[in-house]
Amino acid sequence: MIRNSLGAGALILAAFSLMGCQTDEVILSKKGALELRNMQSRVYETGDQSKVYRAVLSVMQDLGYAITTVEPEAGVVSGNKLALLDLTAAINEKQDERTVVRANAIVRTHYQQPRHQVDSAEFYQQRFFEPLSQALFLDALYDEDPAPAEEVVNAGDQKTPEETRSNDQ
Amino acid sequence: MLNISRFLVRGAAVCAFLALSACVTPNDHALKIGGPPVEDGETVSALRQIQSRRFDTLDTERLVKAATATMQDLGFNISATSTDYGVIVGEKDRDAIENDQVAAQVALMVMFALMGSNYQAVYDVSQVINVSMVVNKSGETSSVVRVIFDRHITNNHGHLWKSEVIKDPDIYQQFFAKLEAGAFLEANEI
């Protein structure tokens, strides 16, 4: 009796685990580039990029990220949290003594699940830019005149499955 | 009749559980796990205090060198550094077998076998411990070192199945004691 019901349960779980197959590919957001940029970018009125870079490091440590890559020459820092959530921040100079920070997060709901680009404005606001603004003692402004599209350098892979690409087109 | 109804109840429970877990979107999950690693009763500033020490020097390079040596002594492989920003990142593999956990899982296996069924024991086998350290000047005369240890645990089926930020103050105290000795400087609480 127990064997039958446990066997049935095992079959259901096996089916679900096959559906969530192990892959390092990232499923990118289907939201528009402008909407993504708005939620992922903020401008700070300081020309001191070094200070902003240090603040990002401090915020990532406060949030419990293990730093995975640090490339100050490129203004990039990445961290990983609990092997489930990757966050990359790019800190760049903007005209008029300002600094723009763009964050990109990739998450999976479980260790053997596929990775998804995070496209929640609430996430970027609450889990990154608010603490960053507090660390800098500066207000975060929206990037009103974004520069031409730049690729955010990520530590992980960002290959899109062919099926997702063809859906967008 | 009794067997069928018991099967249906168990099946419904499994399906409800799976349906609920399918309702957690990646964005929801990111929001949930993206906050500071503090639980009820813990605070961000208390965790920061456990993970940080102040050293009476502005020579951050000296601290970075001493910390690199300390981490290597502790068996970490250094994977990324930035001397300008005082960042050191490392990792090491370690056995994660805890005898109590294994004993409990084996006991469950035996119990199920006696009942004529099968149970797959699952327990921790190995872990990767990550260390991230950042050194910053603080004020006119001192520097603050903040270090975070976390670990990813793999089970006996070869799957990564748990991860956590390490919050045990003793582990951080041991690290800072070694760093103090290596840097010939006293570590103070922040």
Side-chain angles (χ1 to χ4, degrees), chain B residues 1-187:
Chain B
M1 286 293 283
L2 193 62
N3 293 346
I4 291 170
S5 64
R6 207 183 295 168
F7 172 73
L8 283 174
V9 165
R10 287 203 182 118
V14 169
C15 290
F17 170 76
L18 290 167
L20 277 173
S21 44
C23 285
V24 176
T25 65
N27 281 340
D28 289 341
H29 199 64
L31 197 61
K32 181 178 159 202
I33 64 172
V38 289
E39 289 149 29
D40 291 338
E42 295 173 349
T43 63
V44 172
S45 60
L47 189 56
R48 202 184 287 138
Q49 291 214 311
I50 290 169
Q51 297 174 335
S52 309
R53 292 295 187 274
R54 181 182 299 279
F55 293 83
D56 288 332
T57 179
L58 288 176
D59 190 350
T60 54
E61 201 176 313
R62 174 179 171 183
L63 285 169
V64 167
K65 281 186 180 151
T68 305
T70 303
M71 286 182 194
Q72 287 174 325
D73 286 344
L74 290 169
F76 285 93
N77 295 316
I78 306 299
S79 52
T81 58
S82 163
T83 317
D84 289 342
Y85 287 86
V87 180
I88 312 171
V89 174
E91 59 177 41
K92 77 171 185 177
D93 291 332
R94 218 193 131 184
D95 176 1
I97 293 178
E98 295 199 26
N99 293 331
D100 290 347
Q101 190 190 50
V102 175
Q105 289 289 311
V106 167
L108 276 170
M109 266 174 64
V110 168
M111 187 184 83
F112 273 82
L114 288 172
M115 287 156 66
S117 189
N118 206 6
Y119 176 78
Q120 289 289 320
V122 190
Y123 49 87
D124 301 347
V125 162
S126 63
Q127 59 182 326
V128 174
I129 303 179
N130 300 300
V131 60
S132 315
M133 196 187 90
V134 180
V135 184
N136 277 314
K137 292 190 176 70
S138 173
E140 301 291 318
T141 56
S142 54
S143 302
V144 171
V145 174
R146 182 170 188 181
V147 64
I148 294 183
F149 292 101
D150 73 5
R151 60 185 192 143
H152 305 162
I153 302 170
T154 301
N155 63 25
N156 55 313
H157 297 282
H159 297 136
L160 174 60
W161 75 319
K162 287 184 208 166
S163 51
E164 60 178 3
V165 173
I166 293 172
K167 295 190 262 189
D168 182 354
D170 286 339
I171 291 182
Y172 290 94
Q173 180 52 35
Q174 286 172 36
F175 172 79
F176 284 117
K178 284 190 157 51
L179 179 55
E180 260 187 317
F184 299 99
L185 288 166
E186 193 181 335

Side-chain angles (χ1 to χ4, degrees), chain A residues 55-110:
Chain A
V56 168
L57 279 167
S58 164
V59 163
M60 287 178 79
Q61 286 201 304
D62 270 346
L63 293 171
Y65 286 90
I67 306 297
T68 49
T69 58
V70 51
E71 296 171 22
E73 302 78 26
V76 172
V77 56
S78 297
N80 172 274
K81 189 161 177 196
L82 302 177
L84 294 170
L85 179 60
D86 286 290
L87 179 72
T88 299
I91 296 100
N92 287 306
E93 184 186 347
K94 206 166 162 67
Q95 70 270 32
D96 301 327
E97 289 286 300
R98 293 181 299 166
T99 301
V100 60
V101 179
R102 181 155 185 185
N104 187 45
I106 293 168
V107 71
R108 48 186 173 182
T109 51
H110 193 70

Side-chain angles (χ1 to χ4, degrees), chain A residues 33-46 49 52-53 56 88-95 97-104 119-134 136 138-147 150 152:
Chain A
L34 190 57
E35 186 180 357
L36 264 182
R37 194 179 289 135
N38 278 343
M39 72 173 72
Q40 293 182 329
S41 303
R42 297 291 188 276
V43 172
Y44 290 94
E45 290 192 329
T46 174
Q49 283 160 63
V52 177
Y53 197 89
V56 168
T88 299
I91 296 100
N92 287 306
E93 184 186 347
K94 206 166 162 67
Q95 70 270 32
E97 289 286 300
R98 293 181 299 166
T99 301
V100 60
V101 179
R102 181 155 185 185
N104 187 45
D119 61 3
S120 151
E122 198 182 352
F123 170 85
Y124 290 104
Q125 176 61 23
Q126 285 185 21
R127 300 294 187 226
F128 186 69
F129 288 114
E130 269 177 20
L132 181 56
S133 298
Q134 285 172 17
L136 283 168
L138 289 169
D139 290 329
L141 308 169
Y142 285 97
D143 197 359
E144 298 290 342
D145 52 345
E150 298 157 5
V152 175

